[in-house]
Amino acid sequence: MSDEPEDKSIEFLGGRVFDIPEQQFTDLVNSLESKRQRSPQRQKTDVVLGYLRPRLTVARLPRRPTPQRVMCMPFEDLLYTPGTRRKALGKIPRHALDPMWDLFASLAAPDMLKRVRDGLKTAEPDDAEVFEALGAELWPAAAAVFQAELAGSSKTKEGRTQLKEGLGGQDVVESLEEAALALSIAGPLFKLQQDLPLGPVEDFDRAQITMIAGCLTKAAGMNRAALPHVVYVMMGRLRDPATLLTVFEKLTEEGVGDLLGQVSGQVSEAMVNQTEDRLIDVRDQATKEGAPKTDVARNLGRELKTLDRTAIAVAKGGRGMTRRIERAKAEVGRIAEQVLVEGAAAETVGLIDGLDTPVGTDAEEFARMRAVEGRITALRLAQAYADEIGLAPKIKANLSAIQDKLDVRGAEMLKGLQQGDPNISTVDLYATVRLIELTSGPEKADQLRLKGLDAMR
Amino acid sequence: MSENVSDSEESGGHLSTRFWPSTFEERGVVVPFTTPMLAFARVRRDRKEALEVLVPGMSGGAGTYVIGWPSIPEMFRLSVHDRALHEKIYEDKVSTPRGMRRCAQEIAMTGLAGIDAVESAKKVHQDEENERLLTNYFLISATVEAMAPGAAKLTLADVTSSAGKKKTREILDGVASKLGISSEQLYINLELWSDMVAPVGLASMPQDCRLRRLLKQIEQFSGMIAGWGARTNADVDGYGTLTGEVARLTIEIAYELVWSIDDYVTQMPNTLRNWKRNELGLKELLDRLSWVLDGWEHVLAIWNASAEGPIYQQAEALAEMVRMLPLVPKKELDALKSQAWGKLENAMRSHVRQLQGWQTGETDLELALRIEKRRAAAL
């Protein structure tokens, strides 16, 4: 381990990524993009761009086009950034992009690559027509190279090992398979990506459904094995996976029901697999030191809703799928118990006691009040889904212990106020009222407020 | 009041289907309640000068419920913050944007709506104090420039150091004698003027004061939202276009008011010479401006909270914003503008839909915390 202190500045940047004004954010991305072209800086800039990615996704800033980026365009919706080296079905981790490109660049015809490079020199960052024209040559070539490599290596154990080692891991090999399929239907896939609204959206309208049906038909004529990738693009754009069911119904009305029938099993598997894969990062984020408990409680709640919707979407996939969703829910329960519930009461009571210790600044006072509020709010938010994950009794017990503490504190405060204790201020009274409201609701809290104000008169 | 209904306080509430008010007083002022069911409420005075609250879309429809102010705690499960705010508004009989702002800040300082609200209220208080002082300085500078052209330009140090104060006093004494009023009276008039105009500030100030800043924010928002639908393919209900249009028309009216307020500085000698009459004119313009812009802080706070979020969140935010859009009342518009606003009213009527999860009456902690955050941002 290095003796140098860990540099937290980039992580800090990640936490503030949405605070950067729009123009400065654009300038920052442009500057990183141009640094990225100079290979010695590439790894560093990739790390920084990784931290900016949440906002890049939202803002959809057009990025500087390169031959590698053009190659990846047809499967852009499949890209994701897992916290560890791994790959989910129907997704391609970003860390697999460079080895895939290096493989292609080493085997592709140099004059073809030069044509693409030259064509990009004058292209605007969002010129879809140019990308489509250049891709018409690049995408089939990349698909052919990847398919040939996969076919050649699959014949022997040595071949498989060699490819795995050459690319840097099994996750990259699997990404190569995924990319080869997407690239085999790249034309219609790219067109569909351009025509669909930016995700996540609630649903697709009739015109968009017609476009998807057209894409499925064209893709089926090119490579039926790649059809699930059309659905993966839709999944990438939809907010709620359960909506896929109604989208499938609408597509069936458009006459492509038979094509969907062929891919539904694979799509269900991908949905469940992606859910399981995502939970690895959910656990990692939740257990990170200093992760705000309220954010964890919110994220876990959202995760449970997604699991419920996924369960609806894959219900026809059989009991095996449903059981896997149940197991994922149990994992969410374990994370909630470990991060939000275990020791919550004791910690909160300690924090409440700490409120009486004098502090020097407003900022310190706000921080400790936020800490108590955060602990209670996290429990209350988790209470909303506690039944689903079997934590209702434990959360109730924790909240009861906190309530008892606040009841005692409120009663003592009232007594002190009635006796004219000069050490109790309205700030103390209102802080306790606020905590009681968060724990037990407004009626009980307001009683203390009114009695306290009465005592002060 | 133009509605032919019995007084809400006596009747315990009634449904109004009027969408476009005639006057600002009929429209009412936004009440920064944190209870979700009252998130879009406004307060106004009824015919007997008693307070009543307007709650839009309680049953999911486009109508607005009109409820007597004292009945609110019996009809809704209020947060403690809202109970305190309700009492304070009742005690002070608040029904103007200025009064509501003061009230909201005072209650925010208690911490009953969370720490964000306390921090925000403290910062706003400090900012307003600074803006008041700066406006005073720039107004004195403008007076000196306009009425004592030979005098040296004032610096900020001149109004804080004792030597500088002496110099300023001497120059202003000369101005007062030119105007034929006592120096004392001139100081009082300038003080009154700067206190009154501090929320807008002066055009010559390097930094915008609150209402001018808000106006620019609405302008930016209007420009941005106009292209939002095209960029995202997500404005299927046309909320973005509608909101952008209301913002654009509001800005037009507000800028005319700001320019009229600025004219009093441009016409400095005349303003000071006829101060009594001009004071009333200025007050009326400032009151109108705060009415025209009332509610926009809350509308923008909804957007800002989702501006960097996913597209579906932005679309949801727009649906909420349409509920809150402050329409400029009929009687405040000339015939030409009236036509454009009439079209907007019709569009809003057909656009407003039930907001899922807002009108159930249950206390949703997540939603309440979200509203608290926005209210703090809009202080």
Side-chain angles (χ1 to χ4, degrees):
Chain A
M1 203 193 278
S2 162
D3 287 332
E4 276 183 42
E6 198 186 348
D7 182 4
K8 292 261 183 190
S9 56
I10 296 178
E11 229 172 283
F12 174 75
L13 170 70
R16 306 298 303 268
V17 61
F18 287 110
D19 298 339
I20 307 169
E22 192 155 338
Q23 188 53 50
Q24 275 156 282
F25 183 74
T26 311
D27 294 345
L28 175 64
V29 172
N30 288 340
S31 150
L32 286 167
E33 289 284 347
S34 66
K35 276 201 178 121
R36 192 176 184 276
Q37 306 308 311
R38 302 194 287 273
S39 53
Q41 309 236 26
R42 191 168 177 149
Q43 265 195 325
K44 272 188 195 169
T45 52
D46 277 352
V47 172
V48 181
L49 279 168
Y51 277 100
L52 299 179
R53 198 163 300 285
R55 178 149 168 198
L56 278 175
T57 313
V58 171
R60 281 270 172 161
L61 291 178
R63 298 178 65 187
R64 186 187 286 256
T66 61
Q68 181 181 354
R69 190 152 298 136
V70 175
M71 183 192 82
C72 299
M73 280 174 183
F75 50 84
E76 206 182 329
D77 279 273
L78 274 54
L79 299 180
Y80 81 129
T81 313
T84 53
R85 276 197 76 106
R86 58 178 203 272
K87 183 201 167 302
L89 187 63
K91 291 269 180 198
I92 296 178
R94 285 194 171 80
H95 64 250
L97 297 180
D98 281 350
M100 291 200 302
W101 170 255
D102 291 344
L103 174 72
F104 173 59
S106 67
L107 297 170
D111 54 334
M112 187 265 291
L113 284 181
K114 185 177 180 310
R115 275 196 299 282
V116 175
R117 231 172 252 124
D118 291 346
L120 289 173
K121 274 181 189 160
T122 52
E124 291 294 320
D126 54 356
D127 196 337
E129 272 181 40
V130 172
F131 304 146
E132 198 170 2
L134 295 172
E137 192 174 9
L138 186 80
W139 296 330
V145 165
F146 292 170
Q147 279 157 7
E149 277 300 301
L150 288 162
S153 66
S154 67
K155 287 175 188 154
T156 61
K157 195 181 171 192
E158 289 74 30
R160 288 194 293 273
T161 311
Q162 211 175 350
L163 182 67
K164 186 176 148 185
E165 284 172 1
L167 288 172
Q170 185 58 28
D171 50 335
V172 187
V173 176
E174 286 165 18
S175 300
L176 198 68
E177 289 167 357
E178 209 94 68
L181 283 167
L183 286 165
S184 69
I185 55 164
L189 212 52
F190 179 73
K191 182 83 179 59
L192 180 67
Q193 286 175 337
Q194 297 300 308
D195 291 339
L196 288 182
L198 298 179
V201 293
E202 293 289 355
D203 202 353
F204 299 123
D205 63 24
R206 186 49 67 184
Q208 288 152 356
I209 289 288
T210 307
M211 282 188 279
I212 297 167
C215 177
L216 279 165
T217 311
K218 268 190 203 158
M222 296 167 83
N223 182 7
R224 277 189 177 250
L227 278 180
H229 288 76
V230 178
V231 184
Y232 298 156
V233 168
M234 291 194 281
M235 281 163 62
R237 301 285 170 108
L238 284 172
R239 174 195 178 189
D240 178 353
T243 313
L244 210 55
L245 285 178
T246 53
V247 171
F248 272 30
E249 281 166 18
K250 289 185 206 166
L251 284 168
T252 305
E253 285 166 22
E254 288 280 317
V256 290
D258 58 328
L259 296 178
L260 293 170
Q262 291 169 32
V263 302
S264 62
Q266 246 173 300
V267 169
S268 297
E269 174 59 35
M271 285 173 84
V272 176
N273 187 268
Q274 286 176 19
T275 299
E276 292 165 339
D277 183 84
R278 198 174 53 246
L279 280 184
I280 299 171
D281 285 339
V282 169
R283 168 172 277 284
D284 195 45
Q285 291 292 325
T287 50
K288 211 177 222 174
E289 205 187 316
K293 304 281 184 201
T294 40
D295 289 353
V296 173
R298 279 194 189 100
N299 290 342
L300 294 180
R302 271 198 289 268
E303 208 52 57
L304 279 171
K305 279 184 188 152
T306 308
L307 284 169
D308 285 340
R309 289 169 187 147
T310 309
I312 296 167
V314 302
K316 283 186 185 164
R319 290 189 63 191
M321 298 272 184
T322 313
R323 270 201 293 272
R324 282 165 68 187
I325 297 285
E326 286 306 317
R327 278 201 289 273
K329 267 190 172 180
E331 167 66 356
V332 172
R334 282 190 291 276
I335 299 170
E337 181 165 13
Q338 181 190 335
V339 180
L340 304 174
V341 184
E342 274 172 15
E347 196 188 318
T348 312
V349 166
L351 289 168
I352 293 169
D353 282 333
L355 290 176
D356 297 328
T357 317
V359 283
T361 63
D362 276 356
E364 285 172 284
E365 195 175 323
F366 293 158
R368 65 183 190 184
M369 187 64 187
R370 272 204 176 95
V372 191
E373 283 193 8
R375 223 41 182 105
I376 296 171
T377 308
L379 276 177
R380 286 288 316 280
L381 291 173
Q383 199 176 28
Y385 51 80
D387 281 331
E388 247 185 294
I389 48 175
L391 287 179
K394 285 187 180 170
I395 291 180
K396 198 177 167 196
N398 274 280
L399 281 169
S400 286
I402 298 168
Q403 271 167 20
D404 291 345
K405 170 71 187 171
L406 288 168
D407 285 347
V408 172
R409 184 179 171 84
E412 282 171 357
M413 193 168 275
L414 211 51
K415 201 172 156 194
L417 286 170
Q418 280 156 353
Q419 291 168 355
D421 184 343
N423 294 318
I424 304 171
S425 66
T426 43
V427 176
D428 300 324
L429 173 68
Y430 285 134
T432 308
V433 168
R434 168 78 176 166
L435 296 178
I436 292 176
E437 179 175 24
L438 288 175
T439 316
S440 317
E443 288 79 12
K444 190 174 180 182
D446 203 43
Q447 278 176 19
L448 176 65
R449 177 181 73 98
L450 294 173
K451 284 179 187 166
L453 290 175
D454 253 0
M456 280 177 175
R457 279 188 195 115
Chain B
M1 204 100 345
S2 53
E3 281 176 75
N4 186 20
V5 290
S6 59
D7 290 317
S8 51
E9 196 170 332
E10 287 166 14
S11 65
H14 67 264
L15 181 68
S16 161
T17 51
R18 292 171 65 86
F19 221 67
W20 193 16
S22 293
T23 61
F24 283 123
E25 287 74 18
E26 186 190 329
R27 186 178 84 178
V29 60
V30 170
V31 192
F33 282 133
T34 57
T35 303
M37 279 193 82
L38 293 172
F40 308 103
R42 286 174 173 272
V43 64
R44 69 181 183 193
R45 286 174 191 270
D46 68 13
R47 283 175 299 181
K48 292 178 183 168
E49 292 293 297
L51 296 179
E52 61 184 11
V53 69
L54 309 170
V55 187
M58 242 166 70
S59 55
T64 297
Y65 275 86
V66 185
I67 301 160
W69 190 255
S71 311
I72 298 175
E74 294 151 29
M75 293 182 72
F76 300 95
R77 189 178 183 223
L78 297 180
S79 64
V80 181
H81 166 271
D82 288 359
R83 290 165 202 236
L85 183 64
H86 178 263
E87 287 162 14
K88 181 76 186 153
I89 291 170
Y90 197 47
E91 268 169 35
D92 294 359
K93 296 276 175 270
V94 175
S95 60
T96 63
R98 203 181 281 237
M100 186 60 73
R101 193 174 159 69
R102 201 190 55 245
C103 228
Q105 283 175 14
E106 196 176 311
I107 301 299
M109 290 287 272
T110 60
L112 290 172
I115 297 300
D116 285 351
V118 182
E119 275 186 319
S120 192
K122 283 195 172 184
K123 184 180 178 304
V124 164
H125 179 73
Q126 187 62 52
D127 288 351
E128 284 183 356
E129 187 55 22
N130 291 342
E131 284 171 5
R132 201 183 63 77
L133 290 171
L134 272 176
T135 305
N136 188 259
Y137 160 68
F138 275 91
L139 192 60
I140 291 173
S141 291
T143 310
V144 170
E145 250 175 64
M147 303 205 57
K153 253 190 156 182
L154 290 183
T155 64
L156 201 53
D158 287 334
V159 287
T160 47
S161 71
S162 49
K165 277 180 185 167
K166 189 168 173 263
K167 179 178 127 191
T168 310
R169 212 172 299 133
E170 280 167 10
I171 300 171
L172 288 180
D173 287 347
V175 173
S177 95
K178 264 192 206 171
L179 289 166
I181 58 173
S182 68
S183 303
E184 184 75 1
Q185 193 55 54
L186 177 63
Y187 300 142
I188 292 171
N189 293 353
L190 285 174
E191 187 87 12
L192 284 170
W193 186 356
S194 69
D195 278 0
M196 195 164 37
V197 88
V200 190
L202 268 56
S204 57
M205 285 168 67
Q207 209 176 330
D208 289 329
C209 291
R210 186 176 61 83
L211 289 177
R212 223 179 273 262
R213 212 163 47 234
L214 175 61
L215 200 45
K216 287 195 177 159
Q217 286 163 358
I218 302 171
E219 202 173 3
Q220 274 178 358
F221 167 77
S222 159
M224 184 279 307
I225 205 71
W228 179 83
R231 275 200 313 279
T232 59
N233 277 352
D235 196 14
V236 281
D237 297 312
Y239 290 151
T241 316
L242 176 67
T243 313
E245 190 63 0
V246 175
R248 194 182 61 75
L249 289 170
T250 304
I251 297 160
E252 274 180 21
I253 295 166
Y255 267 125
E256 279 174 21
L257 292 167
V258 169
W259 293 329
S260 300
I261 291 164
D262 289 344
D263 278 348
Y264 282 87
V265 181
T266 322
Q267 312 286 324
M268 179 69 77
N270 177 51
T271 307
L272 287 173
R273 216 165 269 136
N274 303 296
W275 174 248
K276 271 288 156 224
R277 195 186 65 212
N278 287 323
E279 185 185 13
L280 290 175
L282 254 175
K283 188 182 175 308
E284 198 180 312
L285 284 169
L286 281 154
D287 282 347
R288 280 196 69 201
L289 182 64
S290 51
W291 274 110
V292 167
L293 297 179
D294 176 51
W296 275 100
E297 295 99 333
H298 301 280
V299 172
L300 294 182
I302 295 175
W303 179 257
N304 291 340
S306 65
E308 303 284 13
I311 305 294
Y312 71 86
Q313 262 177 22
Q314 295 177 359
E316 281 171 6
L318 273 170
E320 282 175 40
M321 288 161 75
V322 169
R323 282 259 176 208
M324 282 208 98
L325 281 179
L327 288 185
V328 174
K330 278 178 216 171
K331 285 186 183 165
E332 301 292 333
L333 300 165
D334 58 38
L336 198 67
K337 281 180 183 145
S338 208
Q339 228 176 5
W341 283 95
K343 281 183 193 161
L344 284 179
E345 186 219 7
N346 287 335
M348 274 179 78
R349 225 180 243 286
S350 57
H351 272 84
V352 165
R353 65 169 189 214
Q354 188 169 8
L355 291 172
Q356 298 296 329
W358 284 71
Q359 312 291 347
T360 58
E362 284 174 33
T363 306
D364 177 341
L365 182 67
E366 177 79 69
L367 186 55
L369 293 172
R370 191 148 44 102
I371 297 171
E372 275 183 1
K373 243 186 174 18
R374 283 185 202 155
R375 293 296 193 213
L379 271 173

